[in-house]
């Protein structure tokens, strides 16, 4: 009982001291009691303000990053278009440097599409029967040394367009010869759009790796001397009358967009 009285006594004295302090020093008294909550509120307000500022900066950076992404995408697209233009210019320059083949007319064509059917992949060009193209017409591109490389042979002709298959297309054939002392004859046959197999070369003919292979003068629709590729491998089978060789074109034939169609006069 005495303990409770002491507690109440202390509480009354404390409350009286607070009231006296407020009466004598009103502002300082209020300040004493308000400082802790005001400091806490100020701390919270500062934290919220800092967070809002950081969020605003992050939001700005995100928008700026998205803008930069769009600019990079635009520049990448423009860069691809520029590379295509440069490649086209190079192709056209090489074509313009080609000398005309005697007895043949050079007609510029553009590859405008491609198609796949049971016979394999073929490419559509912008000229057809009205321009004198026919099945067997060769298509060529220019090389750095101003010579022509055989790209493909026309396999289907319409009035305004035609289709051709690459020289490497499976089953595609053209009469050829090796550039050596005996002009070894053979037939250049495409193998799965990867390479060309020179077949039916007499076994006694001398073939060497690296030897150039060109078109022969035996096909009236194909001018002689069109570069086909170089020998990379020679195959001889014991007891056979013929030998064969793998011929690799100097470039990827499917990369060309502009070509010459060589039509016989």
């Amino acid at each position: 009982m005495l303990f409770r009285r002491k507690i109440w006594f202390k509480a009354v004295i404390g409350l009286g001291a607070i009231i006296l302090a407020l009466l004598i020093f009103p502002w300082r008294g209020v300040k004493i009691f308000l400082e802790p909550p005001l400091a806490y509120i100020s701390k919270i307000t500062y934290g919220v303000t800092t967070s809002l500022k950081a969020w605003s900066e992050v939001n700005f950076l995100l928008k700026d990053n998205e803008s930069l992404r769009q600019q990079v995408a635009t520049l990448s697209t423009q860069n691809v278009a520029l590379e295509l233009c440069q490649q086209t210019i190079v192709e056209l320059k090489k074509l313009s440097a080609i000398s005309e083949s005697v007895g043949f007319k050079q007609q510029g064509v553009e590859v405008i599409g491609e198609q796949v059917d049971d016979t394999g992949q073929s490419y559509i060009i912008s000229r057809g029967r009205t321009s004198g193209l026919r099945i067997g017409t060769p298509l060529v591109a220019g090389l750095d040394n101003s010579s022509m490389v055989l790209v493909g042979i026309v396999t289907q002709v319409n009035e305004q367009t035609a289709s051709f298959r690459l020289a490497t297309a499976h089953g595609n054939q053209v009469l050829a010869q090796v550039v050596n002392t005996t002009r070894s004859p053979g037939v250049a046959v495409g193998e799965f759009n990867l390479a060309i197999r020179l077949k039916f070369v007499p076994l006694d003919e001398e073939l060497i790796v690296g030897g150039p292979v060109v078109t022969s003068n035996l096909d009236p629709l194909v001018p002689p001397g069109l570069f086909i590729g170089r020998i990379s491998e020679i195959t001889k089978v014991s007891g056979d009358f013929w030998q064969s060789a793998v011929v690799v074109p100097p470039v990827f034939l499917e990369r060309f967009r502009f070509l010459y169609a060589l039509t016989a006069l």
Side-chain angles (χ1 to χ4, degrees), residues 70-86:
Q70 293 177 359
Q71 292 179 23
V72 169
T74 301
L75 291 174
S76 297
T77 302
Q78 293 175 350
N79 186 54
V80 171
L82 179 60
E83 289 179 355
L84 289 175
C85 289
Q86 291 175 337

Side-chain angles (χ1 to χ4, degrees), residues 31-257:
K31 186 177 179 182
I32 291 172
F33 290 101
L34 292 183
E35 269 187 349
L38 287 176
Y40 181 71
I41 293 172
S42 177
K43 185 177 180 181
I44 293 176
T45 304
Y46 176 78
V48 171
T49 303
T50 304
S51 299
L52 289 174
K53 184 178 179 181
W55 179 84
S56 178
E57 291 177 353
V58 169
N59 191 44
F60 174 78
L61 290 174
L62 288 174
K63 290 181 179 179
D64 193 44
N65 185 54
E66 181 62 27
S67 176
L68 290 175
R69 284 177 181 272
Q70 293 177 359
Q71 292 179 23
V72 169
T74 301
L75 291 174
S76 297
T77 302
Q78 293 175 350
N79 186 54
V80 171
L82 179 60
E83 289 179 355
L84 289 175
C85 289
Q86 291 175 337
Q87 181 179 338
T88 298
I89 292 172
V90 171
E91 287 183 19
L92 293 176
K93 282 184 176 180
K94 291 179 180 180
L95 280 176
S96 64
I98 294 176
S99 302
E100 289 191 3
S101 300
V102 178
F104 289 84
K105 179 182 179 181
Q106 296 177 349
Q107 299 188 77
V109 299
E110 180 182 2
V111 178
I112 57 175
E114 58 182 274
Q115 59 188 12
V116 179
D117 54 27
D118 294 338
T119 61
Q121 187 174 25
S122 58
Y123 298 85
I124 304 170
I125 54 177
S126 57
R127 289 183 183 271
R129 190 176 293 109
T130 56
S131 299
L133 273 66
R134 65 175 98 172
I135 294 176
T137 296
L139 296 163
V140 301
L143 296 176
D144 292 330
N145 57 2
S146 299
S147 62
M148 290 181 282
V149 58
L150 179 66
V151 174
I153 300 293
V154 171
T155 55
Q156 183 179 350
V157 182
N158 301 315
E159 287 300 314
Q160 303 297 331
T161 62
S163 300
F164 77 93
R165 299 178 68 192
L166 298 176
T168 54
H170 185 63
N172 206 15
Q173 300 183 13
V174 62
L175 298 176
Q177 63 183 20
V178 181
V179 181
N180 56 13
T181 55
T182 58
R183 296 286 176 176
S184 305
V187 179
V189 182
E191 289 192 333
F192 307 105
N193 284 334
L194 298 175
I196 299 168
R197 171 74 64 174
L198 184 65
K199 296 183 176 182
F200 306 116
V201 180
L203 194 60
D204 58 348
E205 294 287 341
E206 182 180 0
L207 301 180
I208 59 172
V209 173
V213 178
V214 299
T215 55
S216 72
N217 58 356
L218 301 177
D219 190 337
L221 296 180
V222 180
L226 301 180
F227 189 59
I228 297 175
R230 292 186 178 276
I231 295 174
S232 65
E233 181 183 334
I234 301 169
T235 302
K236 295 183 179 182
V237 179
S238 178
D240 204 342
F241 295 103
W242 314 101
Q243 60 181 319
S244 65
V246 175
V247 179
V248 179
V251 291
F252 292 107
L253 302 180
E254 60 270 22
R255 79 175 202 184
F256 294 104
R257 177 182 172 188

